[in-house]
Amino acid sequence: MEAAWLDISVPFGEEPSAEAAGASEARPAEGAETQAGWLKRAAWMGTYVAAPPSVELDLEDMERLPLTATVGKARVLVLDDVDCIRADSLAEYEPRKGERLLLRTRNSLREWWKQPQEDSCVMLSDAAAALLLERGVACVGVDYVSRGGFHAEGTRVHQKLRESGVWLIEGLDLSEVKPGMHELVCLPLSMKAEWGLPARALVRALRD
């Protein structure tokens, strides 16, 4: 019997996250153009996918998303005993070329999306990001949103990974996900955006 699917998405536009991030509107105004603009600005208010930037467009372009980037086997690593995900913590798991990794930290346990943003979120260090790039990881999923600005370092690490061609899934709820291999399905809206685009993410455990 196959394992059940788990929805690991954080609802788009959660009220506390929107207010804490300084969003001027908790709901989009009328008008298609206005709504599209609001959607692009507010993408990081829930689970979203951030693409490597398009040099030609100077925008993230989800039309370039290869399905294999965010759909397929993914390995969940549990790092809920650290204050910051460091290179040595990740190195123990031996990240592999082309791998999709979902990093579960204590962020998921505290339901950060229901609280004002603060500086205590566990994030990737510069050295950990460099290790992931060195190993050639294709996709990284994390249980926080760097675009919301928990730390200046979060945005810097986010940019480093994106600019090196890594697809990012941010704002995940991994609280119910066990370590090990899973099947991942995560697809964002198909449109051009300045930051990232809302996505629905599902996983189910794979048999050993």
Side-chain angles (χ1 to χ4, degrees):
M1 182 176 178
E2 292 184 335
W5 285 98
L6 287 176
D7 189 340
I8 56 174
S9 313
V10 170
F12 171 68
E14 277 281 333
E15 290 283 355
S17 296
E19 293 171 1
S24 59
E25 297 175 277
R27 293 288 182 270
E30 295 297 325
E33 186 175 347
T34 302
Q35 289 181 350
W38 178 87
L39 180 63
K40 292 176 182 179
R41 292 194 305 274
W44 41 262
M45 290 161 61
T47 300
Y48 69 94
V49 172
S54 166
V55 176
E56 298 82 7
L57 299 172
D58 195 28
L59 291 172
E60 296 178 5
D61 185 357
M62 292 304 166
E63 295 172 355
R64 298 180 296 111
L65 172 68
L67 295 182
T68 54
T70 56
V71 176
K73 290 183 180 180
R75 186 159 54 121
V76 177
L77 309 184
V78 176
L79 299 154
D80 55 10
D81 59 346
V82 297
D83 295 326
C84 177
I85 301 175
R86 304 189 186 282
D88 54 354
S89 299
L90 279 179
E92 295 179 9
Y93 292 96
E94 300 182 348
R96 296 183 285 274
K97 183 177 179 60
E99 191 171 26
R100 305 173 197 87
L101 291 179
L102 305 182
L103 309 181
R104 196 188 90 184
T105 73
R106 66 186 185 199
N107 294 337
S108 288
L109 303 179
R110 56 187 290 274
E111 296 188 329
W112 55 265
W113 57 93
K114 295 181 180 179
Q115 305 173 39
Q117 293 179 359
E118 55 184 56
D119 291 342
S120 62
C121 257
V122 178
M123 299 194 311
L124 278 165
S125 68
D126 280 328
L131 174 68
L132 293 174
L133 294 177
E134 177 186 326
R135 299 295 176 88
V137 171
C139 175
V140 178
V142 293
D143 54 359
Y144 69 92
V145 285
S146 63
R147 179 59 64 180
F150 286 123
H151 293 281
E153 304 94 280
T155 301
R156 185 174 65 247
V157 169
H158 170 110
Q159 290 298 99
K160 176 185 291 188
L161 290 169
R162 284 184 54 242
E163 291 171 0
S164 299
V166 177
W167 291 81
L168 300 177
I169 308 172
E170 299 203 16
L172 293 172
D173 173 11
L174 300 173
S175 56
E176 301 298 322
V177 184
K178 298 183 182 301
M181 295 301 301
H182 290 71
E183 185 176 359
L184 167 70
V185 175
C186 177
L187 292 174
L189 297 178
S190 179
M191 62 183 291
K192 297 175 178 63
E194 297 175 28
W195 310 124
L197 283 170
R200 193 73 177 266
L202 306 173
V203 294
R204 65 177 174 184
L206 294 175
R207 296 178 183 275
D208 294 335

